């Protein structure tokens, strides 16, 4: 990675990209898109999120999803300001660095590691839970062992696939997610055909008002987290400046549409039951029973388990690429920054992280934590991490544009609208999780982050200042190849 | 799994956008590498937002690249495709070296230049006419001279339009071509056996700039497939010797 002599206005161009070693410029647009979709795991959210949102939003749940979709699209606009201009593997961590500098980037990196790590764990546990449910419906009575077994098998599979090459894992993610969404669309299509003619647009009318809408935004936004996953495939995407921003934006839009369909179907279908959607612990099963389609839950469970597996693959792939970037920068041990000579994947990071992501939930399950509690806790803490990273990247976007002299009114507007809302959502989130294990978990994670930052600052100040590595233009990208 | 995305067809209803995009490209050429978006916007009197959008589009299409400071722009490799190759024959001294090789072997001897970023026949053997020059330029994957050029690229996919089959021997799988190009890069020798026309083959060696080692030209011999497939150590030595003599004459 030698520095070449000056080029043009005194800007040095390297002979080799600092991200060399990855399978550069080799992922098609559809495969990049699949990473973002899988990160958001819309299938699982379609089945569960409307009921969770309805618990706080009541009848305003549809409008909560509309608001969350707008928010996600605006976050996408902010992320796109970076991804249209730089191809990074470190996702929001590397992007934040270019706007707000190393301290904020460090915070975003820590939040993102927590978000990605815990979402990958939650998705594994989620897949285990739905496989467990299928077995139970078949008349078996598997204990937590079935969940733990599924977690181990899928975790091992994800490890092998992610090591064996980004193209292979992207194909698996694409196919799995496509099957899952198709299954869910069939299920919702069938239900919608039965419930829609009776109700028409009545689910859109609400008497909860703005307060209801706001209350539901947090759980609704939670259904979108992970949709930025494509941002860690900038180095590997064939046309990163097109496919990465598009993948993030289209995922926000597609998930928004899917969630609205899901929410409408569930609100409309369950409106006749006492308590409506909010009163149902298992809304989809209740709906299937109500409509006399007993086989539906099988398709649904299998589809959701598949979606969770794809989510594990996408989020852990993003996670290891953040670690790869940190390894190259010297923020974490440099070994984590190495890539496999043949498979061109960050194999050291994968072999360190994925077994941990797999085994930690198994240990907690073995210690007697219930699957449901574990899943909800992992997901909640993950969402918290994501929201912090989103807030930081949205705040960083206009600063970045100003720094490179390309600030526009639209970009400022997006940031000014979305950052305060995200901040409010974060405060609300902290307030609603003031009981149970959360205050302790948040304190521990915050303390760990601060301690890590203090260590890096004291021992590696130079590396700290160098945060924000990305696949910069190297001599071979220039016409004439001249350094 | 998915083919490279085809650029959306241009409806031709946005003449202003096309004109502006070309003006932006021209301005980057005129101002030189390192020019910033603000400077381009000011020079062309284009609204900033329009300029930024066009620049991002041109960077997305790889005609332009952002320099590592993320502010400045320069021409990307793809912009090289916009230049029409200038037909300037090799100097007389180089022709004499090629002619000397022709007298010593019974093969067709051809010299190709890569200065324009594609295969361009600079001195084709009049007694053994080679394949159609336009075909060589368009489908580098099917010729020895083309493979030399592809092996030199950071990303050969950016140069290859399609892996069109010409004969049953043509390499049409990206993976196989990748392996073969790695071999070419390692040995400095490219071989083609009946991949463009059945029964005809080619051997080619690189001619590199003596100062910075960049690929400037290729020297090839053509003949029947079975002769090309043989190891031919004497022929190779002769080919390499003449390539070395040509290097200082073509830089």
């Amino acid at each position: 990675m030698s520095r070449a002599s000056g080029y043009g206005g005194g800007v040095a161009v390297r002979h080799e990209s600092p991200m060399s070693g990855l399978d550069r410029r080799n992922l098609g647009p559809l495969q990049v898109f699949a990473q973002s979709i899988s990160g958001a795991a819309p299938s699982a959210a379609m089945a569960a999120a409307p009921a969770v949102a309805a618990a706080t939003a009541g009848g305003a749940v549809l409008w909560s999803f509309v608001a969350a979709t707008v928010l996600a699209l605006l976050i996408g606009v902010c992320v796109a300001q970076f991804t249209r201009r730089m191809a990074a593997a470190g996702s929001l961590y590397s992007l934040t660095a270019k706007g707000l500098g190393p301290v904020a980037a460090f915070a975003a990196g820590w939040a993102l590691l927590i978000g990605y790590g815990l979402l990958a764990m939650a998705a594994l546990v989620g897949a285990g839970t739905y496989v467990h449910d299928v077995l139970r419906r078949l008349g078996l009575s598997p204990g937590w062992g079935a969940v733990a077994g599924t977690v181990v098998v899928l975790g091992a599979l994800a490890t092998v696939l992610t090591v064996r090459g980004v193209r292979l894992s992207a194909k698996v993610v694409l196919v799995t997610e496509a099957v899952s969404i198709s299954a869910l669309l069939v299920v919702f299509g069938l239900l919608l055909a039965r419930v829609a003619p009776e109700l028409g647009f009545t689910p859109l009318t609400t008497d909860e008002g703005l307060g209801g809408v706001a209350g539901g935004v947090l759980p609704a936004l939670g259904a979108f987290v992970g949709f930025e996953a494509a941002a860690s495939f900038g180095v590997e995407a064939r046309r990163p400046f097109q496919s990465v921003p598009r993948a993030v934006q289209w995922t926000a839009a597609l998930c928004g549409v899917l969630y609205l369909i899901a929410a409408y179907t569930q609100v409309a279908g369950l409106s006749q039951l006492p308590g409506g959607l909010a009163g149902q612990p298992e809304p989809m099963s209740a709906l299937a029973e109500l409509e006399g389609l007993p086989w539906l839950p099988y398709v649904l469970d299998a589809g959701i388990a598949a979606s969770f597996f794809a989510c594990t693959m996408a989020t852990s792939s993003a996670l290891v690429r953040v670690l790869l970037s940190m390894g190259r920068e010297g923020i974490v041990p440099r070994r984590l920054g190495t890539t496999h000579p043949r498979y061109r994947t960050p194999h050291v990071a994968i072999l360190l992280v994925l077994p941990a992501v797999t085994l930690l939930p198994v240990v907690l399950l073995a210690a007697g934590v219930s699957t449901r509690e574990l899943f909800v806790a992992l997901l909640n803490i993950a969402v918290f991490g994501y929201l912090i990273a989103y807030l930081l990247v949205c705040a960083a976007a206009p600063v970045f544009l100003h720094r490179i002299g390309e600030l526009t009114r639209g970009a400022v507007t997006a940031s000014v609208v979305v950052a305060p809302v995200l901040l409010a959502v974060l405060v609300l989130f902290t307030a609603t999780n003031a009981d149970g294990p959360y205050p302790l978990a948040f304190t521990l994670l915050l303390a760990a982050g601060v301690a890590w930052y203090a260590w890096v600052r004291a021992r590696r100040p130079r590396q700290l200042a160098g945060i924000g590595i990305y696949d910069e233009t190297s001599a071979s990208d220039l016409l004439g190849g001249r350094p | 799994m998915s083919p490279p995305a085809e650029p959306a067809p241009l409806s031709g209803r946005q003449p202003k956008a096309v004109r502006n995009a070309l003006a932006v490209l021209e301005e980057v050429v005129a101002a030189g590498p390192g020019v910033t978006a603000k400077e381009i916007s000011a020079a062309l009197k284009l609204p900033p937002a329009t300029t930024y959008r066009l620049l991002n589009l041109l960077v997305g299409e790889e005609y332009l690249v952002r320099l590592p400071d993320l502010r400045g722009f320069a021409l990307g490799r793809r912009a090289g495709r916009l230049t029409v190759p200038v037909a300037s024959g090799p100097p007389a001294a180089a022709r004499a070296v090629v002619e000397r090789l022709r007298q010593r072997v019974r093969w067709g001897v051809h010299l190709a230049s890569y200065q324009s970023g594609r295969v361009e026949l600079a001195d084709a053997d009049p007694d053994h006419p080679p394949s159609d020059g336009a075909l060589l330029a368009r489908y580098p994957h099917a010729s020895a001279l083309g493979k030399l050029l592809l092996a030199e690229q950071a990303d050969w996919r950016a140069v290859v339009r399609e892996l069109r089959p010409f004969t049953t021997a043509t390499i049409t799988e990206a993976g196989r071509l990748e392996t073969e190009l790695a071999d070419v890069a390692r040995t400095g020798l490219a071989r083609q056996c009946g991949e463009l026309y059945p029964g005809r083959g080619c051997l080619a060696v690189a001619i590199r700039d003596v100062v910075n080692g960049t690929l400037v030209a290729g020297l090839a011999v053509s003949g029947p497939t079975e002769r090309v497939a043989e190891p031919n150590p004497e022929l190779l030595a002769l080919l390499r010797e003449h390539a070395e003599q040509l290097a200082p004459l073509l830089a």
Side-chain angles (χ1 to χ4, degrees):
Chain A
M1 287 183 225
S2 59
R3 279 256 166 205
S5 51
Y7 184 89
V11 181
V13 178
R14 292 169 197 259
H15 282 299
E16 195 184 36
S17 159
M19 299 312 290
S20 62
L22 284 176
D23 195 2
R24 201 164 172 242
R25 305 271 182 273
N26 211 358
L27 277 190
L30 205 57
Q31 291 160 335
V32 176
F33 182 49
Q35 302 291 342
S36 260
I37 284 278
S38 304
S43 308
M46 278 168 86
V52 179
T56 46
V61 61
L62 269 162
W63 289 109
S64 298
F65 276 100
V66 171
T69 307
V70 172
L71 267 182
L73 283 169
L74 286 174
I75 296 171
V77 169
C78 292
V79 174
Q81 303 302 341
F82 295 95
T83 50
R84 266 205 296 272
R85 294 171 168 92
M86 56 188 274
S91 190
L92 309 186
Y93 161 69
S94 305
L95 308 185
T96 304
K98 294 294 171 195
L100 296 180
V103 182
F106 192 92
W110 179 229
L112 213 52
L113 286 182
I114 294 168
Y116 283 149
L118 297 196
L119 185 64
M121 287 185 214
L124 276 176
V125 174
T129 312
Y130 279 92
V131 168
H132 172 273
D133 284 0
V134 171
L135 294 177
R136 207 192 34 166
R137 278 187 225 283
L138 288 171
L140 304 169
S141 54
W144 66 270
V147 181
T150 313
V151 169
V152 170
V153 170
L154 292 183
L157 188 60
T159 311
V160 174
L161 289 174
T162 42
V163 168
R164 282 301 296 268
V166 70
R167 279 176 72 85
L168 175 70
S169 58
K171 278 177 198 172
V172 171
V173 164
L174 178 61
V175 171
T176 314
E177 196 59 44
V179 168
S180 169
I181 291 182
S182 309
L184 268 280
L185 281 178
V186 168
V187 169
F188 277 93
L190 275 175
L191 293 174
L192 204 57
R194 284 158 187 255
V195 300
E198 296 163 27
L199 276 149
F201 288 104
T202 36
L204 280 169
T205 54
T206 170
D207 38 59
E208 261 80 3
L210 218 53
V213 177
V217 166
L218 170 60
L221 192 59
F224 285 88
V225 301
F227 78 109
E228 82 309 319
S232 44
F233 292 86
V235 180
E236 287 141 309
R238 193 175 299 138
R239 289 275 183 88
F241 306 120
Q242 286 175 351
S243 57
V244 173
R246 273 185 203 166
V248 176
Q249 289 288 44
W250 289 358
T251 300
L254 178 67
C255 286
V257 172
L258 289 175
Y259 296 158
L260 285 176
I261 293 173
Y264 176 86
T265 312
Q266 294 178 34
V267 170
L270 294 169
S271 56
Q272 325 152 30
L273 292 185
L277 174 57
Q280 295 302 319
E282 283 191 59
M284 290 308 290
S285 304
L287 197 50
E289 204 175 305
L290 205 65
E291 298 297 332
L293 298 166
W295 52 269
L296 218 54
Y298 292 99
V299 180
L300 199 66
D301 287 353
I304 294 173
S307 173
F308 271 131
F309 175 62
C311 179
T312 303
M313 295 267 299
T315 37
S316 49
S317 295
L319 171 63
V320 295
R321 279 162 181 76
V322 174
L323 282 173
L324 169 87
S325 304
M326 290 178 163
R328 296 258 164 125
E329 291 161 348
I331 298 297
V332 295
R334 294 220 179 251
R335 286 276 297 153
L336 291 172
T338 48
T339 46
H340 193 281
R342 215 169 102 220
Y343 303 138
R344 294 161 166 251
T345 50
H347 64 300
V348 179
I350 294 170
L351 293 177
L352 180 83
V353 165
L354 270 146
V357 162
T358 309
L359 293 178
L360 195 65
V362 174
V363 169
L364 288 171
L365 286 173
V369 182
S370 87
T371 46
R372 169 118 201 111
E373 271 172 41
L374 181 59
F375 176 75
V376 172
L378 288 172
L379 193 63
N380 270 333
I381 302 173
V383 169
F384 194 72
Y386 274 100
L387 290 178
I388 290 178
Y390 290 157
L391 174 64
L392 286 169
V393 83
C394 288
V399 185
F400 166 69
L401 291 179
H402 175 70
R403 202 172 66 73
I404 63 166
E406 294 179 29
L407 193 60
T408 55
R409 214 170 291 146
V412 176
T413 314
S415 182
V416 164
V417 171
V418 78
V421 177
L422 274 177
L423 193 63
V425 167
L426 258 173
V427 171
L428 182 71
F429 189 67
T430 320
T432 48
N433 286 310
D435 53 349
Y438 299 110
L440 179 66
F442 289 152
T443 314
L444 285 179
L445 289 172
L446 182 67
V450 170
W452 184 23
Y453 174 73
W455 184 84
V456 171
R457 203 191 146 134
R459 292 295 182 82
R460 300 189 170 164
R462 208 166 46 82
Q463 286 90 331
L464 186 68
I467 283 185
I469 198 173
Y470 71 101
D471 189 20
E472 54 182 60
T473 297
S474 53
S476 66
D477 301 323
L478 291 164
L479 179 64
R482 235 156 12 97
Chain B
M1 128 170 274
S2 58
E6 291 292 324
L10 192 67
S11 71
R13 293 204 188 99
Q14 309 99 330
K16 210 169 166 197
V18 175
R19 212 177 296 143
N20 287 343
L22 290 172
V24 166
L25 261 180
E26 223 174 276
E27 181 60 24
V28 174
V29 177
V35 63
T36 66
K38 268 212 173 112
E39 288 164 358
I40 294 169
S41 159
L44 298 177
K45 299 191 177 63
L46 272 180
T50 310
T51 314
Y52 306 158
R53 199 163 44 238
L54 288 172
L55 281 167
N56 284 331
L57 205 75
L58 290 168
V59 170
E61 295 289 342
E62 294 168 354
Y63 287 110
L64 295 181
V65 291
R66 257 173 209 276
L67 292 175
D69 63 353
L70 290 170
R71 302 166 57 95
F73 294 86
L75 288 182
R77 288 183 68 91
R78 197 175 171 196
R81 292 214 213 161
L82 295 177
T83 57
V84 179
V86 186
S88 65
R95 284 179 182 274
V97 174
V98 176
E99 199 48 48
R100 207 152 58 226
L101 182 61
R102 279 181 191 141
Q103 319 237 308
R104 294 181 65 177
V105 297
R106 303 176 62 97
W107 302 61
V109 177
H110 315 291
L111 178 68
S113 161
Y114 300 127
Q115 304 279 22
S116 61
R118 67 185 92 187
V119 182
E120 196 190 329
L121 284 172
D123 186 356
D125 199 326
D127 299 330
H128 305 263
S131 318
D132 176 15
L135 209 61
L136 291 178
R138 268 179 89 94
Y139 303 103
H141 71 287
S143 68
L145 284 167
K147 285 177 193 170
L148 273 183
L149 176 67
L150 293 185
E152 194 74 3
Q153 307 298 312
D155 179 16
W156 59 267
R157 286 182 180 80
V159 183
V160 175
R161 210 172 270 103
E162 59 162 309
L163 296 177
R164 178 184 287 197
F166 291 95
T167 67
T168 48
T170 313
I171 301 178
T172 52
E173 297 145 41
R176 253 188 72 204
L177 186 59
E178 182 117 22
T179 327
E180 173 137 358
L181 292 180
D183 268 358
V184 173
R186 196 167 43 77
T187 58
L189 170 75
R191 193 188 298 264
Q192 174 269 116
C193 294
E195 292 165 36
L196 197 55
Y197 292 109
R200 305 289 300 164
C202 230
L203 284 170
V205 295
I207 299 172
R208 293 181 178 282
D209 187 300
V210 277
V211 182
N212 58 23
T214 52
L215 183 73
V216 290
L219 185 63
V221 289
S222 64
T225 320
E226 60 280 3
R227 297 280 315 276
V228 171
E230 288 167 10
N232 294 316
E234 296 89 10
L235 177 69
L236 275 182
L238 211 56
L239 200 55
R240 288 222 152 98
E241 183 196 319
H242 283 80
E244 248 163 63
Q245 289 173 18
L246 283 167
L249 303 173
L250 293 173

